[in-house]
């Protein structure tokens, strides 16, 4: 089993930049598994900036839903895999399963358990980036509260199984384990 590194933090906390720095320490080539979907111009611009920042040492694979399968396909193709980010993946799944369905949360958590099983089988080191969304106010609507709860549960599972865990705050990564 290869090393799994989990990195969480708030929006614009420096977690992606820190994850990229850690990945580069493994050497090139590197695999970047992107879960974001460029559904509007602003998001397309964010994706473009991230790609430019990473440079040519990275092979980018875009996979908004089937993360475990994409991760398994990346195994052995590079020196490390960076998954950015878990919370966008969870959001994609919530809308894919239809957030109104009563079993959507159970289906998403099954996908998260499948992801942790895949991570345990990897030969290539994997760095997983996620957002810490539960430290603010309680969201005003059911969907946002449901998403916050799912993200919190998923973060707990990934952090527990990871070999190393970090939180980024104001651009400073702090090692949790």
């Amino acid at each position: 089993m290869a090393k799994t590194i989990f990195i969480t933090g708030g929006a614009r906390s420096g977690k992606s930049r820190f994850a990229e720095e850690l990945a580069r320490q493994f050497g090139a080539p590197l695999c970047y598994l992107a879960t974001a979907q460029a559904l509007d111009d602003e998001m397309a611009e964010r994706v473009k900036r991230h790609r430019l920042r990473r440079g040519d040492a990275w092979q980018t694979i875009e996979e908004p839903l089937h993360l475990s399968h994409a991760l398994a396909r990346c195994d052995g193709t590079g020196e490390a895999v960076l998954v950015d980010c878990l919370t966008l993946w969870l959001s994609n799944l919530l809308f894919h399963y239809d957030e109104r369905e009563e079993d959507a949360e159970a289906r998403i958590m099954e996908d998260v358990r499948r992801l942790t099983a895949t991570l345990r089988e990897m030969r290539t080191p994997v760095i997983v980036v996620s957002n810490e969304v539960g430290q603010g106010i309680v969201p005003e609507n059911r969907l946002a509260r449901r998403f916050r709860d799912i993200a919190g549960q998923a973060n707990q599972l990934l952090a527990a199984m990871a070999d190393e865990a970090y939180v980024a705050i104001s651009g400073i990564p702090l090692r949790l384990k």
Side-chain angles (χ1 to χ4, degrees):
M1 178 180 102
K3 179 186 282 193
T4 298
I5 301 171
F6 179 74
I7 302 169
T8 190
R12 298 308 227 198
S13 63
K15 60 192 175 295
S16 292
R17 191 177 309 272
F18 174 61
E20 291 166 12
E21 290 170 11
L22 283 180
R24 282 188 198 94
Q25 293 175 12
F26 289 99
L30 297 164
C31 181
Y32 185 92
L33 257 174
T35 61
Q37 299 179 81
L39 300 176
D40 59 37
D41 291 341
E42 185 268 339
M43 193 60 166
E45 184 59 33
R46 283 177 182 257
V47 168
K48 180 181 172 184
R49 281 194 314 265
H50 271 248
R51 281 184 185 221
L52 288 173
R53 184 177 74 207
R54 284 192 308 272
D56 296 334
W58 298 82
Q59 172 195 10
T60 300
I61 297 170
E62 296 177 354
E63 181 49 65
L65 295 173
H66 307 288
L67 188 53
S68 293
H69 297 299
L71 196 54
R73 285 193 311 270
C74 287
D75 200 12
T77 64
E79 297 302 315
V81 179
L82 172 53
V83 176
D84 198 356
C85 86
L86 186 74
T87 41
L88 281 174
W89 175 63
L90 296 171
S91 176
N92 296 339
L93 289 175
L94 187 57
F95 288 110
H96 174 73
Y97 290 136
D98 189 345
E99 76 275 1
R100 293 166 299 203
E101 292 179 22
E102 288 305 313
D103 68 339
E105 186 172 337
R107 293 173 74 183
I108 292 168
M109 293 314 297
E110 180 56 37
D111 285 335
V112 172
R113 284 186 283 282
R114 188 175 306 114
L115 175 62
T116 61
T118 301
L119 287 166
R120 286 186 186 100
E121 299 297 320
M122 294 289 289
R123 297 173 317 224
T124 304
V126 180
I127 301 166
V128 179
V129 174
S130 189
N131 286 286
E132 194 58 49
V133 298
Q135 293 182 325
I137 62 173
V138 175
E140 70 172 77
N141 66 72
R142 180 179 185 268
L143 176 60
R145 287 188 299 273
R146 194 171 198 192
F147 173 73
R148 178 211 49 198
D149 293 348
I150 290 168
Q153 291 174 56
N155 283 351
Q156 287 182 54
L157 288 173
L158 269 287
M161 67 79 51
D163 300 290
E164 295 176 22
Y166 296 85
V167 62
I169 301 171
S170 300
I172 301 170
L174 303 171
R175 187 169 179 163
L176 302 173
K177 74 173 197 176

